[in-house]
């Protein structure tokens, strides 16, 4: 089985229940796989080492068809293999890190293009991206304004 990195399988990186239900192919090309590997090397694996227990990859690669069906941004970094949505998993350890802990650690210790705190007073999940050419270190927080979401 192909791996994206030590702790991310190919299946996990491209997996989507929605794509399966709708019969949408979610297969990256070679460049997109290389971007996914770089994201894992520069962001996920250092974070995973710091956390010391599993981190769930909610979403990594999204094909154009899947991203469109999900009503994702037309410029989503997920389509390039440059972004992932992650959340902590229960690890049973006393000092288990939270999404909030991970947010601050990424912000303070890693290179990234975009880091988004997704929903709530404590983030429900984190969106993080990495660009091989230029990383803006842009930090955003999703906020609900009426029926719309803004940053």
């Amino acid at each position: 089985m192909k791996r994206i990195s030590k702790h991310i399988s190919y299946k996990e990186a491209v997996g989507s229940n929605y794509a399966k239900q709708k019969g949408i192919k979610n297969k990256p090309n070679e460049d997109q796989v290389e971007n996914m590997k770089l994201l894992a090397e520069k962001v996920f694996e250092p974070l995973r080492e710091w956390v010391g227990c599993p981190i769930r990859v909610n979403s990594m690669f999204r094909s154009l068809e899947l991203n469109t069906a999900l009503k994702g941004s037309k410029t989503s970094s997920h389509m390039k293999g440059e972004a992932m949505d992650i959340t902590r998993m229960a690890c049973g350890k006393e000092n288990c890190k939270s999404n909030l802990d991970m947010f601050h650690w990424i912000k303070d210790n890693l290179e990234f293009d975009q880091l988004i705190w997704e929903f709530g007073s404590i983030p429900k999940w984190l969106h993080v991206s990495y660009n091989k050419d230029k990383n803006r270190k842009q930090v955003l927080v999703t906020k609900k304004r009426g029926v719309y979401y803004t940053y």
Side-chain angles (χ1 to χ4, degrees), residues 48 51-54 88-97:
R48 172 64 173 77
V51 168
C53 57
R88 76 163 186 94
M89 294 176 69
C91 65
K93 294 182 179 179
E94 190 174 307
N95 61 344
C96 200
K97 308 293 189 219

Side-chain angles (χ1 to χ4, degrees), residues 97-114:
K97 308 293 189 219
S98 68
N99 288 342
L100 180 60
D101 295 328
M102 293 193 309
F103 177 87
H104 286 291
W105 194 84
I106 293 168
K107 180 176 63 67
D108 296 339
N109 294 282
L110 298 177
E111 280 298 313
F112 58 88
D113 185 50
Q114 198 174 55

Side-chain angles (χ1 to χ4, degrees), residues 55-88:
I55 299 169
R56 175 175 287 121
V57 176
N58 301 332
S59 176
M60 194 169 190
F61 175 74
R62 290 185 200 150
S63 65
L64 173 61
E65 185 180 1
L66 176 57
N67 193 67
T68 301
L70 291 170
K71 297 182 173 66
S73 166
K74 291 179 184 191
T75 59
S76 174
S77 295
H78 287 281
M79 294 187 297
K80 298 176 191 172
E82 295 178 343
M84 60 174 32
D85 296 338
I86 57 175
T87 189
R88 76 163 186 94

Side-chain angles (χ1 to χ4, degrees), residues 24 31 59 70-71 113 124 131 142 145 147 149:
I24 297 171
D31 289 340
S59 176
L70 291 170
K71 297 182 173 66
D113 185 50
K124 289 184 181 178
N131 184 298
T142 303
R145 303 265 192 256
V147 295
Y149 293 97

